Amino acid sequence: MPVRRTLAATLATLTAAGLLTACGTSDAATDEINPKGQRGTGINIGPDQHRIREKKVDAIAAKVPAAVRERGTLRLGASADASPPLGFYATDDKTRIGSEIDIATLIADTLGLKPEFEEVSWENLFVGLDSSKFDGVLSNVTVTEERKEKYDFATYRLDNIAFEAKKGSGWKVKGPQDVAGKTVAVASGTNQEKILVDWSEQNVKAGRKPVDIKYFHKDTDYYLALQSGRIDGYLGPSPSVNYHVASAGQSEVVGTLSGGGDGLQGKIAATTKKDSGLVEAYAAAIDHIIEDGSYAKVLGRWGLSNEAVEKSEINPPGLPKPKN
């Protein structure tokens, strides 16, 4: 398991780099992080989250397998590798907060169960599902055709990626032609890297300039490169890009696209072991929180409203299997 990087440490690094103090601050009195000079509109990163809660819905709770109902708890795996706003440590360095925790709590409430979270490395999320240690995982898991062979999915968020550029850039990205000749940073080995490489190749075939792709090991490195003008933009997961834009106030989202690439909208889902009997209960609970508005409130407080779904889908088309 990787060394835990606390939010306090992250904020200290960003402050030292001048990436929060210039246009963003963390207010110790209110536990909010927001662009400098703004109050009352920031993101609450304190341990007291005033979390939105649900009441049990008997008809939906009845869909839960008897063994889980009798136990009274919903054992959920969470990725220790997650980052803001999905899952991270509050300012007390011990309380886990984030959008995934909030949504999982709403689902558990609706099912009349107490959520029990355990943080493990990414690969151990699936080991935990395989061994029935976890009843489910809500940790930014994308539906893929390969994963559908072993797991059931109930979707609750769109899987998007986003281009981030310096504020006031005037740049808009909708397709390959918009990144031709641009210098763009991306994390190595990610799906967004594959999409960017594909776009660059399309540009070359069309007689346009390729993308100058840059790689950095740490978030703070690409923040510095963006503000200094060494890169034109960064392509990363939409949740983390939106969080940085909202908290630092120095950049803007200039384009959003599906994490599945052209032709397929990627989807994030509550994940459970295949045939565990829980997927229908998860989908019904997600539909309920969508209908009563608590889902929209959670996404809104974390800046993820643009990733909302209208209803939960069970095992929809997923990202295709890699070609050998």
Side-chain angles (χ1 to χ4, degrees), residues 5 13 30 34 107 151 155 169 209 238 254 300 315:
R5 189 177 187 198
T13 302
T30 62
N34 48 27
I107 292 171
Y151 309 105
T155 61
S169 68
K209 292 181 179 180
S238 182
V254 297
N315 296 329

Side-chain angles (χ1 to χ4, degrees), residues 75 124-134 151 273:
R75 302 174 305 193
N124 280 323
L125 292 175
F126 300 96
V127 173
L129 288 172
D130 294 342
S131 65
S132 298
K133 178 181 180 180
F134 298 142
Y151 309 105
K273 187 177 182 179

Side-chain angles (χ1 to χ4, degrees), residues 160-166 169 171-176 178-180 182-186 192 195-197 199 211 222 226 232-238 241-242 245 251-258:
N160 289 333
I161 58 178
F163 284 90
E164 182 179 4
K166 198 171 182 178
S169 68
W171 182 30
K172 298 297 179 186
V173 181
K174 294 184 179 179
D178 300 314
V179 295
K182 296 286 189 179
T183 303
V184 182
V186 71
Q192 51 264 29
I195 291 171
L196 193 60
V197 169
W199 278 17
V211 183
Y222 85 72
L226 191 62
D232 296 302
Y234 165 73
L235 177 60
S238 182
V241 168
N242 285 335
V245 167
S251 56
E252 60 186 359
V253 176
V254 297
T256 302
L257 58 146
S258 167

Side-chain angles (χ1 to χ4, degrees), residues 6 24-25 81 106 131 135 148 159 162 169 172 247 252 255 293 305:
T6 67
T25 59
D81 307 325
L106 289 177
S131 65
D135 300 311
K148 280 166 62 179
D159 175 18
S169 68
K172 298 297 179 186
S247 59
E252 60 186 359
S305 297

